[in-house]
Amino acid sequence: MGNRLLSALLASAALVATAGFAEAKTVIHVMHQGDPGWVKAYGDVATRFEAANPDVDIEMIYAPHDAYNEKFSAAVMAKQLPDIMELDAPFLANYVWSGYLQAVKPLIDKDLLDDMTDSNIAQGTYPIDKDLYAIGLTDSSVVLYGNKKYLEAIGARIPKSVDDAWTREEFEGYLEKLSKLEGVKWPIDTFRGYGIKTEWITYAYGPLLESAGCDLIDRKTWKASGTLDGEACVKALTMMQDWVKKGWVVPTSSGTNQFYAEGQPAALAMGGHWFYAEASAAMKDNIVVMPLPKIGDKGVSPNGTWIWGISATSENPEIAGKFLSFLLKDKEYREYAKTQSAYPGLKSFAAGSPLYAEGGPLAVAFEQASKTAIARPPHPAYPTITSAFMQAVDKIFNGGDAQEALTAAAKKIDEDIEDNAGYPPFDEQQ
């Protein structure tokens, strides 16, 4: 009887101890987006981290790419911010200004911080205090993809470097010739099918307009009126509207890829670096990667992608930083990223990515990062800036008056900034 009682007491004590151990586990919530391949890659890293750190549970919270900001806003309203959040780089200034993020330098392994490219540092830095609030394995760019057979058929010059990019005259001349070439239904796919719920219009079209002397906002006075609706922007958007009117641009209704779709009906594509993986698999040696054209005196390309930050409300920032450091160093994660033609944001990842090395098929994309990349406006009003701009471009591409649409967009942006008293201390930067 005594032995039975002792056994029962020991078993009970073991249960209590086990329950206590379970309660002692630290849970780190990680909010992210991504297609199924990336989602699996993140989940696999979390499993490996948990195996190495049995006292930590990593809980992955998925939000669809197109609805990510809405889901994040809901978390803010519910006061349930995750410990780690993925965020689109141009929204960083808004997140930091709103108090959602904390500086990550003290929380991330120093060798990773030293490994960051200048462009990666730029996309994670808050312009007011110049501190780092987010980090990523990757950065991004947009290039001009070409169908080699079509380009050879019209005698097009193939640029080999950023300095050699097509001029506006060459670009429009080639679009004209391609429009008359047999087999070509549309000279260029600018991926209008991505719509205005993604960042695509601002991200990809903005640099062409900036090359033409336009900008979304004056980056010194932080006023949009007089800049976004100024002569340079009106002319640039009227130019792009003209491409649409001439039938040179794949329409929204034709989806998100007519470049390497069956029959390859689009001769050129203004696509992100990530587009290369699938396009090259389908087109083999018939794909050409070129820098974005120079619409004005200088070439401009975008940068900034989805990067990782640690919330200001996290109760376990050190463990969150430990997981992020683990993620960015994880070999299998990096190998998966390579298969997706991921654009390097860490020097060590660039060194191990033959696509981006000198002579590699995406070398020109990596060259753009150091020569022509310009970030989207790093301002807390960015959500309004991009929303207003994308709606204006959509109206213009659908036949609306460029001046009218851009004036309305500039007014909307300036009103948002005024409603927030200039987003201090940004109002003191002038």
Side-chain angles (χ1 to χ4, degrees), residues 34-365:
D35 65 28
W38 286 105
V39 172
K40 182 182 184 304
Y42 300 147
D44 289 348
V45 175
T47 300
R48 289 191 285 276
F49 182 82
E50 288 171 342
N53 300 271
D55 56 338
V56 179
D57 267 338
I58 303 294
E59 188 173 314
M60 307 299 289
I61 304 166
Y62 172 73
H65 178 87
D66 291 358
Y68 192 87
N69 288 333
E70 288 93 327
K71 187 151 184 175
F72 176 76
S73 297
V76 170
M77 296 296 288
K79 296 188 176 173
Q80 291 181 335
L81 282 183
D83 297 275
I84 296 169
M85 66 181 84
E86 201 178 10
L87 64 139
D88 203 356
F91 290 84
L92 181 119
N94 179 274
Y95 281 24
V96 177
W97 186 85
S98 301
Y100 302 147
L101 294 174
Q102 60 179 294
V104 296
K105 267 188 186 173
L107 307 170
I108 301 292
D109 292 355
K110 188 178 183 302
D111 57 337
L112 277 173
L113 298 171
D114 294 341
D115 198 19
M116 295 175 76
T117 62
D118 289 346
S119 189
N120 194 358
I121 292 167
Q123 70 176 341
T125 298
Y126 185 55
I128 297 298
D129 60 13
K130 307 290 192 289
D131 212 340
L132 191 73
Y133 284 83
I135 185 171
L137 175 68
T138 59
D139 198 343
S140 72
S141 196
V142 169
V143 292
L144 188 65
Y145 293 99
N147 183 307
K148 195 175 181 182
K149 282 190 285 196
Y150 294 149
L151 293 178
E152 285 177 350
I154 63 164
R157 180 179 70 82
I158 308 297
K160 299 295 183 195
S161 74
V162 169
D163 303 326
D164 202 25
W166 286 344
T167 62
R168 174 180 172 177
E169 289 69 32
E170 283 181 295
F171 184 48
E172 292 192 314
Y174 293 145
L175 290 174
E176 176 75 41
K177 286 182 180 177
L178 288 166
S179 71
K180 295 170 182 171
L181 187 67
E182 189 179 344
V184 175
K185 190 172 182 181
W186 301 284
I188 188 166
D189 194 345
T190 63
F191 299 99
R192 289 183 65 197
Y194 284 157
I196 60 173
K197 286 199 81 175
T198 72
E199 264 291 282
W200 181 252
I201 288 175
T202 307
Y203 172 68
Y205 301 175
L208 288 186
L209 306 181
E210 285 165 45
S211 176
C214 164
D215 206 347
L216 279 66
I217 192 168
D218 185 311
R219 301 190 189 210
K220 289 182 178 169
T221 64
W222 296 116
K223 293 266 191 301
S225 295
T227 297
L228 180 56
D229 59 351
E231 186 183 3
C233 289
V234 172
K235 280 187 175 177
L237 259 306
T238 302
M239 168 194 72
M240 291 188 78
Q241 184 188 58
D242 192 44
W243 302 345
V244 174
K245 283 180 177 175
K246 286 177 175 171
W248 291 352
V249 180
V250 174
T252 308
S253 58
S254 293
T256 55
N257 166 45
Q258 290 299 318
F259 179 64
Y260 66 84
E262 190 177 348
Q264 299 173 3
L268 298 168
M270 218 170 77
H273 65 273
W274 60 86
F275 183 68
Y276 178 80
E278 286 186 27
S280 63
M283 298 177 70
K284 306 292 191 272
D285 294 338
N286 197 36
I287 190 171
V288 179
V289 181
M290 302 173 284
L292 289 177
K294 281 190 278 195
I295 302 301
D297 295 335
K298 59 172 186 174
V300 178
S301 62
N303 81 324
T305 190
W306 289 82
I307 48 182
W308 303 95
I310 297 172
S311 69
T313 56
S314 174
E315 293 179 6
N316 299 285
E318 289 82 10
I319 298 173
K322 189 178 177 183
F323 174 69
L324 276 190
S325 297
F326 184 93
L327 169 74
L328 298 179
K329 292 180 184 181
D330 186 83
K331 285 181 183 174
E332 290 177 53
Y333 170 53
R334 288 189 177 204
E335 285 304 313
Y336 177 75
K338 276 189 212 172
T339 69
Q340 302 302 296
S341 57
Y343 193 96
L346 298 178
K347 294 169 207 163
S348 62
F349 184 50
S353 301
L355 282 179
Y356 294 93
E358 194 173 340
L362 284 172
V364 75

